[in-house]
Short mmCIF file of all heavy atoms in Angstrom, two decimals:
data_model
loop_
_atom_site.label_atom_id
_atom_site.label_comp_id
_atom_site.label_asym_id
_atom_site.label_seq_id
_atom_site.Cartn_x
_atom_site.Cartn_y
_atom_site.Cartn_z
N PRO A 1 76.10 -233.32 72.38
CA PRO A 1 75.91 -232.00 71.80
C PRO A 1 74.99 -231.97 70.61
O PRO A 1 74.88 -232.96 69.90
CB PRO A 1 77.34 -231.53 71.45
CG PRO A 1 78.11 -232.79 71.31
CD PRO A 1 77.54 -233.82 72.26
N HIS A 2 74.34 -230.86 70.38
CA HIS A 2 73.42 -230.69 69.25
C HIS A 2 74.16 -230.57 67.92
O HIS A 2 73.58 -230.89 66.89
CB HIS A 2 72.52 -229.52 69.48
CG HIS A 2 71.52 -229.65 70.61
ND1 HIS A 2 70.73 -230.71 70.78
CD2 HIS A 2 71.25 -228.80 71.65
CE1 HIS A 2 70.00 -230.57 71.88
NE2 HIS A 2 70.33 -229.46 72.45
N ASN A 3 75.36 -230.08 67.97
CA ASN A 3 76.25 -229.88 66.78
C ASN A 3 75.46 -229.10 65.68
O ASN A 3 75.36 -229.49 64.55
CB ASN A 3 76.63 -231.22 66.23
CG ASN A 3 77.71 -231.94 67.10
OD1 ASN A 3 78.55 -231.21 67.60
ND2 ASN A 3 77.62 -233.23 67.27
N ILE A 4 74.94 -227.92 66.07
CA ILE A 4 74.25 -227.04 65.15
C ILE A 4 75.33 -226.35 64.26
O ILE A 4 76.22 -225.70 64.85
CB ILE A 4 73.39 -226.03 65.87
CG1 ILE A 4 72.37 -226.78 66.70
CG2 ILE A 4 72.79 -225.04 64.90
CD1 ILE A 4 71.64 -225.87 67.72
N LYS A 5 75.27 -226.52 63.03
CA LYS A 5 76.31 -226.03 62.16
C LYS A 5 76.18 -224.63 61.48
O LYS A 5 77.06 -224.02 60.95
CB LYS A 5 76.58 -227.03 61.01
CG LYS A 5 77.03 -228.41 61.54
CD LYS A 5 78.33 -228.30 62.36
CE LYS A 5 78.81 -229.66 62.79
NZ LYS A 5 79.96 -229.55 63.74
N LEU A 6 74.89 -224.11 61.54
CA LEU A 6 74.56 -222.91 60.84
C LEU A 6 73.91 -221.91 61.85
O LEU A 6 72.91 -222.25 62.47
CB LEU A 6 73.66 -223.22 59.63
CG LEU A 6 73.37 -222.09 58.64
CD1 LEU A 6 74.70 -221.58 58.01
CD2 LEU A 6 72.42 -222.58 57.65
N TRP A 7 74.43 -220.68 61.92
CA TRP A 7 73.99 -219.75 62.88
C TRP A 7 73.79 -218.36 62.23
O TRP A 7 74.59 -217.82 61.52
CB TRP A 7 75.03 -219.57 64.01
CG TRP A 7 75.22 -220.86 64.81
CD1 TRP A 7 75.92 -221.95 64.44
CD2 TRP A 7 74.73 -221.06 66.12
NE1 TRP A 7 75.90 -222.89 65.43
CE2 TRP A 7 75.17 -222.39 66.48
CE3 TRP A 7 74.00 -220.35 67.00
CZ2 TRP A 7 74.83 -222.96 67.71
CZ3 TRP A 7 73.64 -220.87 68.26
CH2 TRP A 7 74.09 -222.18 68.61
N CYS A 8 72.52 -217.79 62.53
CA CYS A 8 72.24 -216.44 62.04
C CYS A 8 72.68 -215.44 63.07
O CYS A 8 72.40 -215.52 64.26
CB CYS A 8 70.72 -216.30 61.91
SG CYS A 8 69.99 -217.36 60.66
N LEU A 9 73.33 -214.39 62.60
CA LEU A 9 73.83 -213.30 63.49
C LEU A 9 72.81 -212.24 63.58
O LEU A 9 72.90 -211.16 63.07
CB LEU A 9 75.18 -212.77 62.91
CG LEU A 9 76.27 -213.83 62.73
CD1 LEU A 9 77.50 -213.18 61.99
CD2 LEU A 9 76.75 -214.38 64.10
N GLY A 10 71.76 -212.55 64.38
CA GLY A 10 70.67 -211.62 64.59
C GLY A 10 69.62 -211.68 63.42
O GLY A 10 69.65 -212.64 62.66
N ASN A 11 68.77 -210.70 63.41
CA ASN A 11 67.69 -210.64 62.42
C ASN A 11 67.35 -209.21 62.10
O ASN A 11 67.10 -208.40 62.96
CB ASN A 11 66.47 -211.33 63.00
CG ASN A 11 65.26 -211.24 62.07
OD1 ASN A 11 65.18 -211.89 61.05
ND2 ASN A 11 64.32 -210.38 62.37
N GLU A 12 67.35 -208.88 60.68
CA GLU A 12 66.82 -207.62 60.25
C GLU A 12 67.27 -206.45 61.11
O GLU A 12 66.46 -205.58 61.53
CB GLU A 12 65.32 -207.59 60.11
CG GLU A 12 64.85 -208.60 59.03
CD GLU A 12 63.30 -208.62 58.86
OE1 GLU A 12 62.65 -207.91 59.53
OE2 GLU A 12 62.86 -209.32 57.95
N MET A 13 68.57 -206.38 61.37
CA MET A 13 69.05 -205.32 62.29
C MET A 13 69.01 -203.94 61.80
O MET A 13 69.21 -203.00 62.52
CB MET A 13 70.50 -205.72 62.71
CG MET A 13 70.67 -207.08 63.44
SD MET A 13 69.54 -207.28 64.82
CE MET A 13 69.92 -205.91 65.83
N ASP A 14 68.72 -203.75 60.52
CA ASP A 14 68.51 -202.41 59.94
C ASP A 14 67.11 -201.88 60.21
O ASP A 14 66.85 -200.69 60.00
CB ASP A 14 68.81 -202.43 58.44
CG ASP A 14 67.79 -203.29 57.69
OD1 ASP A 14 67.32 -204.35 58.22
OD2 ASP A 14 67.38 -202.89 56.59
N GLY A 15 66.21 -202.73 60.64
CA GLY A 15 64.80 -202.33 60.72
C GLY A 15 64.49 -201.50 62.02
O GLY A 15 64.82 -201.93 63.09
N ARG A 16 63.76 -200.38 61.84
CA ARG A 16 63.45 -199.59 63.01
C ARG A 16 62.48 -200.28 63.98
O ARG A 16 62.42 -199.96 65.14
CB ARG A 16 62.81 -198.29 62.58
CG ARG A 16 61.47 -198.39 61.86
CD ARG A 16 60.95 -197.08 61.35
NE ARG A 16 59.63 -197.20 60.69
CZ ARG A 16 59.43 -197.68 59.43
NH1 ARG A 16 60.50 -198.01 58.72
NH2 ARG A 16 58.22 -197.76 58.97
N TRP A 17 61.79 -201.34 63.49
CA TRP A 17 60.86 -202.12 64.28
C TRP A 17 61.65 -203.18 65.16
O TRP A 17 61.08 -203.82 65.98
CB TRP A 17 59.86 -202.86 63.39
CG TRP A 17 60.58 -203.75 62.42
CD1 TRP A 17 61.00 -205.05 62.56
CD2 TRP A 17 61.02 -203.37 61.08
NE1 TRP A 17 61.64 -205.49 61.45
CE2 TRP A 17 61.63 -204.50 60.54
CE3 TRP A 17 60.90 -202.21 60.33
CZ2 TRP A 17 62.21 -204.46 59.20
CZ3 TRP A 17 61.38 -202.16 59.05
CH2 TRP A 17 62.02 -203.29 58.52
N GLN A 18 62.96 -203.32 64.86
CA GLN A 18 63.72 -204.32 65.54
C GLN A 18 64.22 -203.91 66.87
O GLN A 18 64.71 -202.84 66.99
CB GLN A 18 64.94 -204.72 64.63
CG GLN A 18 65.43 -206.14 64.90
CD GLN A 18 64.48 -207.15 64.41
OE1 GLN A 18 64.39 -208.23 65.00
NE2 GLN A 18 63.73 -206.93 63.33
N MET A 19 64.10 -204.72 67.90
CA MET A 19 64.66 -204.44 69.22
C MET A 19 66.18 -204.35 69.05
O MET A 19 66.81 -205.31 68.51
CB MET A 19 64.31 -205.56 70.21
CG MET A 19 62.81 -205.53 70.60
SD MET A 19 62.42 -206.89 71.78
CE MET A 19 62.17 -208.25 70.67
N GLY A 20 66.76 -203.25 69.48
CA GLY A 20 68.18 -203.10 69.30
C GLY A 20 68.70 -202.81 67.93
O GLY A 20 69.80 -203.21 67.55
N ALA A 21 67.89 -202.17 67.11
CA ALA A 21 68.29 -201.83 65.75
C ALA A 21 69.54 -201.09 65.76
O ALA A 21 69.85 -200.31 66.70
CB ALA A 21 67.15 -201.06 65.04
N LYS A 22 70.34 -201.30 64.64
CA LYS A 22 71.67 -200.68 64.63
C LYS A 22 71.98 -200.06 63.28
O LYS A 22 71.28 -200.33 62.27
CB LYS A 22 72.71 -201.72 64.95
CG LYS A 22 72.63 -202.25 66.37
CD LYS A 22 73.46 -203.51 66.58
CE LYS A 22 73.50 -203.81 68.08
NZ LYS A 22 72.14 -204.12 68.60
N THR A 23 72.98 -199.21 63.21
CA THR A 23 73.48 -198.74 61.94
C THR A 23 74.33 -199.83 61.32
O THR A 23 74.67 -200.82 62.03
CB THR A 23 74.37 -197.49 62.07
OG1 THR A 23 75.56 -197.90 62.85
CG2 THR A 23 73.63 -196.39 62.87
N ALA A 24 74.65 -199.77 60.04
CA ALA A 24 75.41 -200.79 59.40
C ALA A 24 76.75 -200.96 60.08
O ALA A 24 77.30 -202.10 60.25
CB ALA A 24 75.60 -200.42 57.91
N THR A 25 77.39 -199.86 60.46
CA THR A 25 78.71 -199.87 61.13
C THR A 25 78.59 -200.57 62.53
O THR A 25 79.40 -201.45 62.87
CB THR A 25 79.32 -198.49 61.28
OG1 THR A 25 79.52 -197.95 59.93
CG2 THR A 25 80.66 -198.57 62.02
N GLU A 26 77.62 -200.18 63.32
CA GLU A 26 77.37 -200.75 64.55
C GLU A 26 77.15 -202.24 64.51
O GLU A 26 77.76 -203.04 65.21
CB GLU A 26 76.18 -200.11 65.31
CG GLU A 26 76.38 -198.71 65.75
CD GLU A 26 75.10 -198.06 66.20
OE1 GLU A 26 74.02 -198.47 65.84
OE2 GLU A 26 75.24 -197.03 66.94
N TYR A 27 76.28 -202.63 63.57
CA TYR A 27 75.98 -204.01 63.36
C TYR A 27 77.22 -204.79 62.84
O TYR A 27 77.50 -205.94 63.29
CB TYR A 27 74.79 -204.28 62.43
CG TYR A 27 74.63 -205.74 62.09
CD1 TYR A 27 74.17 -206.63 63.03
CD2 TYR A 27 74.93 -206.21 60.81
CE1 TYR A 27 74.10 -207.99 62.81
CE2 TYR A 27 74.85 -207.54 60.53
CZ TYR A 27 74.41 -208.42 61.50
OH TYR A 27 74.28 -209.79 61.28
N GLY A 28 77.86 -204.26 61.85
CA GLY A 28 79.05 -204.95 61.28
C GLY A 28 80.07 -205.27 62.36
O GLY A 28 80.68 -206.38 62.38
#
């Protein structure tokens, strides 16, 4: 296994340019 220890939960999800952008509540 790669044993990757650190994971980002998406990227810039507040940005209108982002695919699948969300409100803070939706993203939370």
Side-chain angles (χ1 to χ4, degrees):
H2 294 309
N3 288 323
I4 300 168
K5 297 303 182 186
L6 190 60
W7 295 77
C8 298
L9 301 171
N11 175 76
E12 295 184 356
M13 298 310 302
D14 65 323
R16 64 185 183 280
W17 57 87
Q18 204 71 213
M19 290 178 278
K22 293 170 173 60
T23 66
T25 299
E26 290 170 340
Y27 172 69

